[in-house]
Amino acid sequence: YFKQGFYDSIKQYSQESLEISKRLDDSISIAITQYQLAVHYFFRKDFAKSEALATEGFRISQRNNYINSYHLHSNILSELALVKGDLKMYGYYDRLSDSLQEEYINESGQKNVQLLDKKYETEKKEKQLILQQATINKKNTLNYILIGSTAALLIISLLSYRTYQQKRKLQEQKI
């Protein structure tokens, strides 16, 4: 609804969301919902309500260090300052919005890099485990062959010794 410009629908759903978020005491949801309502009132040209909601959401986001929400509220507050003609506050919120956006992008990038590192390390360890398992299987096979060969050699040796002993007894009986 938000991106498609259905601001009346935003108001209805956002107010319901705000009530639920307040009951659950979910500060991030409260801040995001206040931003949505602030944008609704901004486009309805009710700048006083928009500013009140944006300011409250700004405080919640700032207090809890919700970077993306903090950025969004700074952005709407800069637009509100521009509408009011307060260029000083517009510059302040605009610069703050830009720096928060950069921080959010950097933070997201770092999280992505860390995630990729973990995936790479996991894949590397899995490959290493597969290689170790193959080596263990190969050694086990060689051990079985060695044990089998030793047992066969022992049996052949015993049979040969027995046969030798029997031939010797036969020759002794002939003598």
Side-chain angles (χ1 to χ4, degrees):
Y1 297 115
F2 193 68
K3 291 183 179 181
Q4 296 172 352
F6 297 127
Y7 302 113
D8 290 330
S9 298
I10 290 173
K11 181 181 178 186
Q12 175 189 353
Y13 294 118
S14 294
Q15 285 176 334
E16 290 174 16
S17 175
L18 185 59
E19 289 173 19
I20 293 169
S21 298
K22 284 183 178 180
R23 272 188 268 146
L24 296 174
D25 195 31
D26 183 7
S27 59
I28 185 72
S29 295
I30 292 170
I32 290 169
T33 305
Q34 286 177 327
Y35 170 74
Q36 293 168 344
L37 286 169
V39 170
H40 165 76
Y41 286 117
F42 180 83
F43 284 104
R44 294 289 173 230
K45 297 189 186 335
D46 189 347
F47 301 123
K49 281 186 181 179
S50 179
E51 186 173 13
L53 287 162
T55 302
E56 180 61 26
F58 179 84
R59 285 189 193 121
I60 291 170
S61 300
Q62 185 180 33
R63 182 175 51 242
N64 295 297
N65 200 29
Y66 302 139
I67 301 298
N68 192 37
S69 179
Y70 193 21
H71 154 67
L72 294 172
H73 284 92
S74 298
N75 190 35
I76 191 75
L77 286 170
S78 73
E79 298 296 325
L80 286 163
L82 188 61
V83 167
K84 289 177 11 182
D86 188 349
L87 296 179
K88 182 178 178 183
M89 291 309 291
Y90 166 75
Y92 168 75
Y93 285 121
D94 190 52
R95 285 188 302 279
L96 181 61
S97 175
D98 288 345
S99 68
L100 288 168
Q101 184 177 18
E102 287 178 22
E103 184 177 341
Y104 179 72
I105 289 169
N106 289 339
E107 189 177 287
S108 296
Q110 288 175 351
K111 286 180 182 178
N112 287 339
V113 166
Q114 289 172 351
L115 181 64
L116 289 174
D117 280 346
K118 285 180 183 178
K119 283 182 180 180
Y120 173 74
E121 289 297 324
T122 303
E123 287 177 13
K124 186 177 172 183
K125 287 178 182 178
E126 286 175 356
K127 287 179 182 178
Q128 190 175 21
L129 285 173
I130 290 170
L131 183 62
Q132 287 176 347
Q133 189 62 39
T135 304
I136 290 170
N137 288 342
K138 187 176 180 181
K139 285 181 180 179
N140 285 343
T141 303
L142 288 174
N143 284 339
Y144 293 142
I145 291 171
L146 181 63
I147 290 170
S149 299
T150 303
L153 187 61
L154 183 62
I155 290 171
I156 291 171
S157 296
L158 287 173
L159 289 175
S160 297
Y161 180 74
R162 189 173 141 221
T163 306
Y164 170 75
Q165 289 292 346
Q166 287 176 349
K167 283 184 181 180
R168 201 177 88 191
K169 283 184 184 180
L170 276 173
Q171 282 180 349
E172 282 180 10
Q173 287 175 356
K174 286 183 181 178
I175 298 182

